[in-house]
Amino acid sequence: MNPLAKKYLRPSQIPTKACHGCGIGMIENWLLQAIDELGLKQEDVVFGTGIGCVGRQTFATWGGDNFGATHGRALAVATGIKLAQPERRILVVVGDGDAASIGTSHLIHAARRNLGVTVICEDNMGYESTGGQFSPTTPAGYVTNSSPYGMVEPSFDPCDVVKAAGATFVAETTATQWHQTVKVVKKALQNDGFSFIHVRFPCNENFGAYALGTRDTLKNLEWIYEHTQGRKADGSETDFTWETGIKHDASNSRPEFTRLLREMNARVQSDLADKMAARA
Amino acid sequence: MPPPSELVAPWVEWERRVTKGRRLLEAGTFALTEGAIAAGCRVFAGYPITPATDIAEYMSKRLPQVGGYYMQAEDELAGMHMCAGASLGGLKAMTATSGPGYTLMHDAYGWSITNEIPLVVVDAMRVGPISGITGAPGQGEFYIARYASHGGNFETIVLSPSSVQEAFWLTIDAFNLSERFATPVTILTDQVVSDMWEDLFIPDDYAGLDFVVPRRTNLTMPFFPVGSDAIDVPPNIIGRGTGVCVSAYTHTEEGYDIEEMEAQWAQTHRLVNKIRHHRSELTRYETVGMDDADVVAVAYGADARTVKTAVLEARARGLRAGFVRPITLWPFLDDLFAVDRHYVVCELNYDGQLVREVMRAAPDSRKVHFMGKSAELHTVGEVLAALDGVARTGRIPELPYIWTEVR
Ligand SMILES: Cc1ncc(C[n+]2csc(CCOP(=O)(O)OP(=O)(O)O)c2C)c(N)n1
Ligand code: SF4
């Protein structure tokens, strides 16, 4: 068995029910590598997920404490947990639907507050567990099961959104960038504030099959690789390019949200004590 | 001779025990807030809405003083989920809203019920549908509060106060029950009880209230005692490295998702029977004149105040009238309606909600009369006329703005 899996995962819950060749397991492996390289233990990290392939296939695989929120609400739940357990790292692993569609308002406001959580948005460019409909991150023009004539809506970049909202660490990678991903996850986990990492990966079953015309993992990964490089294997330019890397790094530059609340409480309580003393 | 009356609620005894305190003139929203603080609530997460906004404001002032956290959430979905997260993290939590926000809380309800998370939800009802009239009372959430989530397979606990003082004690009670039954408990209050100012006694020393059920934490398997109906099981905690798993799906004892008939059965057994089998722990009501009454007026919340006055007046005029005010709305107190007599059910909606449960519980549904009104409390005169009409002719006479048809 993979030694990282042995160290951090829950034997009864792996392997997951993810399809053969799916990128979800691979990315989780990278997350474990980052956690391990930082010397974190199981009890240091609370693992939170949403609904969808990304959520369901990773929920309860983590050997420590896990929560799987309803669709879109993982960050709202994480906010409550962080109030009560400020010392814990909260790793929220969600899909593009969870983060960039149904739960976007929680994402934006968690970023605005600089809540101390690390969000990994594993983006397969669609709603895959419901069978491959387009999502707000599906590239325009691409065919999915609910855009049979091509995706009409423009897509958006969740990194831009969280950066504008006030996130203190923002990075983007793809499933073809192992070391890069481990590096940015480590940086994200060292930021005492809101960190967001956007990782694109191929869904072979749906996005691959309908948008790209193949369920072959290697072909799908190749498509991701080409769009990361901006060049196809034959040297021609791709239809668009993802800019990967660190998008914004203001780590530890402003106070984590729950710390601000605790500081306010200390101030209020000491003022109150002074008042009581003056009255006595 | 005053008619025999009865108040069955734990705070009858609490009031006798707590002698040191302050007498104030305060609002219902203040009482709900102080009740929560007294019960040990340390997180409030919600979104402002009339007539629950004042609870949020009071909380924003009070919580930091006691080391708690006020969260102004981005919406009510977030608010209740934040409460659920905080409670999972080990802090008692509450949210408060009104109808439009209440509707948004359903997935948080389902999640909290399934995962046995103690917390308290206040719904200060106003007249609807939807935004209705902001400053007018309604009682349209009787059923929604019971069926607070889709999917079925659960029971819920819903309580309703009818005075400022009662709002204080009942909030402590709601927190206690949420801890003991490990589930969200709903306080259905209304615009009148929320906004009204009345005498309020609050104890000096909250820390000394020995009837407050403290938060305990379960640190070992089973995390979910599926298949068991036990209450007083300590709730789970996230963040202490117990390995607990909490999700939206049907779960095993460990909290893992599972798609099996057996697991579905065991989980349902737990969620339903921990409440059904301990109904006697949940009995709270007030009655007047039940020994000899031929016709009984039924009402809850603020509306019960004018209805009770009408019953006392009717008795003074020689009518054998009685009064029932369920404080526990769910599980429904069927036993209060076991005797075969006329029941006049007063509630603040025109569709008829409480009345349907009384019809089901009473021996003869033809003797259950509906007296629906909307946006204003029933007047004493209206209820007197109804009691008199039912006593004499078996029917409620026609009255302006009163709806009597149920089906
Ligand atoms: C409130 C709600 N709406 C819809 C669904 C149905 N649903 C389940 S997963 C999903 C899409 C998930 O997409 P994403 O977050 O991108 O995850 P993926 O499956 O692609 O990994 C939807 C729409 C749901 N479970 N809850
Ligand atoms: S449907 Fe797609 S995203 Fe979901 S497990 Fe299969 S390959 Fe992975």
Side-chain angles (χ1 to χ4, degrees), chain B residues 72-124:
Chain B
Q72 196 155 296
E74 46 275 21
D75 55 36
E76 288 84 350
L77 283 100
M80 189 167 170
H81 278 108
M82 286 176 186
C83 287
S87 185
L88 276 172
L91 296 179
K92 290 187 184 179
M94 172 166 120
T95 183
T97 186
S98 186
Y102 195 55
T103 306
L104 297 185
M105 290 181 173
H106 291 211
D107 71 336
Y109 255 106
W111 201 72
S112 307
I113 290 169
T114 306
N115 291 313
E116 306 202 44
I117 302 172
L119 57 96
V120 173
V121 181
V122 177
D123 174 13

Side-chain angles (χ1 to χ4, degrees), chain B residues 115-345:
Chain B
N115 291 313
E116 306 202 44
I117 302 172
L119 57 96
V120 173
V121 181
V122 177
D123 174 13
M125 294 183 287
R126 61 193 217 191
V127 63
I130 198 69
S131 291
I133 304 173
T134 20
Q139 293 183 322
E141 278 104 283
F142 176 78
Y143 278 122
I144 296 186
R146 159 64 184 88
Y147 297 101
S149 176
H150 58 271
N153 303 315
F154 60 88
E155 286 278 347
T156 43
I157 302 172
V158 182
L159 311 172
S160 181
S162 83
S163 71
V164 170
Q165 182 65 61
E166 194 171 83
F168 177 80
W169 296 123
L170 182 138
T171 306
I172 299 178
D173 191 28
F175 271 96
N176 283 352
L177 294 176
S178 78
E179 295 295 325
R180 297 192 59 206
F181 285 81
T183 195
V185 171
T186 307
I187 298 176
L188 269 195
T189 180
D190 52 60
Q191 180 270 330
V192 174
V193 170
S194 298
D195 289 345
M196 171 171 76
W197 289 59
E198 267 189 328
D199 283 357
L200 172 66
F201 169 83
I202 56 171
D204 276 338
D205 175 22
Y206 290 168
L209 301 179
D210 58 1
F211 46 81
V212 167
V213 177
R215 168 55 63 92
R216 296 161 305 157
T217 41
N218 172 36
L219 298 173
T220 53
M221 264 285 290
F223 296 117
F224 296 96
V226 292
S228 156
D229 67 356
I231 58 170
D232 297 314
V233 177
N236 291 314
I237 183 160
I238 280 196
R240 293 277 297 276
T242 60
V244 64
C245 295
V246 168
S247 90
Y249 293 91
T250 295
H251 52 235
T252 62
E253 285 189 330
E254 295 95 338
Y256 307 155
D257 299 2
I258 183 164
E259 294 178 1
E260 269 177 23
M261 219 25 224
E262 181 100 353
Q264 181 64 35
W265 188 91
Q267 181 184 292
T268 307
H269 178 92
R270 166 97 193 120
L271 297 182
V272 170
N273 288 338
K274 71 175 173 180
I275 293 177
R276 279 196 194 161
H277 291 177
H278 300 276
R279 275 163 174 271
S280 57
E281 302 271 340
L282 295 163
T283 309
R284 284 122 180 83
Y285 62 84
E286 182 190 0
T287 56
V288 175
M290 296 300 270
D291 291 355
D292 63 352
D294 296 325
V295 48
V296 171
V298 185
Y300 70 96
D303 203 38
R305 298 164 66 102
T306 49
V307 172
K308 182 179 173 186
T309 307
V311 167
L312 295 175
E313 178 63 24
R315 288 188 73 96
R317 294 183 188 185
L319 207 72
R320 292 221 298 231
F323 169 69
V324 172
R325 175 171 71 91
I327 298 172
T328 307
L329 299 183
W330 298 102
F332 196 68
L333 302 177
D334 284 28
D335 292 352
L336 291 177
F337 308 96
V339 177
D340 187 14
R341 49 189 159 199
H342 285 280
Y343 295 96
V344 174
V345 182

Side-chain angles (χ1 to χ4, degrees), chain A residues 16-24 52-54 57 124 128-132 201-207:
Chain A
T16 73
K17 288 165 259 166
C19 308
H20 182 72
C22 177
I24 290 174
C53 288
V54 171
Q57 312 310 348
N124 44 25
E128 310 307 354
S129 56
T130 41
F201 75 99
C203 161
N204 302 315
E205 276 310 299
N206 296 311
F207 188 80

Side-chain angles (χ1 to χ4, degrees), chain A residues 10 65-66 68 85 88 106 265, chain B residues 67-68 74 89 111 239 243-244 246:
Chain A
R10 200 178 285 251
D65 298 358
N66 285 257
Q85 298 281 339
R88 296 287 154 270
H106 310 315
N265 286 1
Chain B
E74 46 275 21
W111 201 72
V244 64
V246 168

Side-chain angles (χ1 to χ4, degrees), chain A residues 77-229:
Chain A
V77 173
T79 307
I81 294 177
K82 190 73 182 175
L83 289 173
Q85 298 281 339
E87 302 311 322
R88 296 287 154 270
R89 316 263 174 142
I90 304 183
L91 189 62
V92 175
V93 177
V94 285
D96 44 306
D98 250 302
S101 188
I102 196 167
T104 320
S105 65
H106 310 315
L107 184 80
I108 289 172
H109 293 288
R112 174 176 66 84
R113 296 181 180 114
N114 198 30
L115 183 79
V117 296
T118 299
V119 180
I120 314 290
C121 173
E122 297 184 15
D123 182 355
N124 44 25
M125 289 156 289
Y127 302 147
E128 310 307 354
S129 56
T130 41
Q133 299 79 33
F134 68 84
S135 84
T137 61
T138 305
Y142 279 70
V143 168
T144 69
N145 276 337
S146 61
S147 56
Y149 310 112
M151 161 85 164
V152 177
E153 299 179 17
S155 59
F156 79 172
D157 183 343
C159 287
D160 292 346
V161 174
V162 293
K163 186 179 166 219
T168 38
F169 184 83
V170 184
E172 178 170 340
T173 69
T174 68
T176 58
Q177 294 166 310
W178 171 11
H179 296 291
Q180 174 90 330
T181 306
V182 173
K183 193 178 107 192
V184 295
V185 172
K186 276 169 70 179
K187 276 188 167 290
L189 283 166
Q190 286 169 301
N191 173 28
D192 187 18
F194 188 86
S195 301
F196 182 81
I197 296 175
H198 185 199
V199 192
R200 291 195 207 247
F201 75 99
C203 161
N204 302 315
E205 276 310 299
N206 296 311
F207 188 80
Y210 304 109
L212 308 179
T214 176
R215 286 199 167 91
D216 185 320
T217 309
L218 288 180
K219 289 208 175 104
N220 286 322
L221 274 173
E222 192 179 2
W223 181 84
I224 297 247
Y225 180 75
E226 289 172 355
H227 285 81
T228 311
Q229 302 301 313

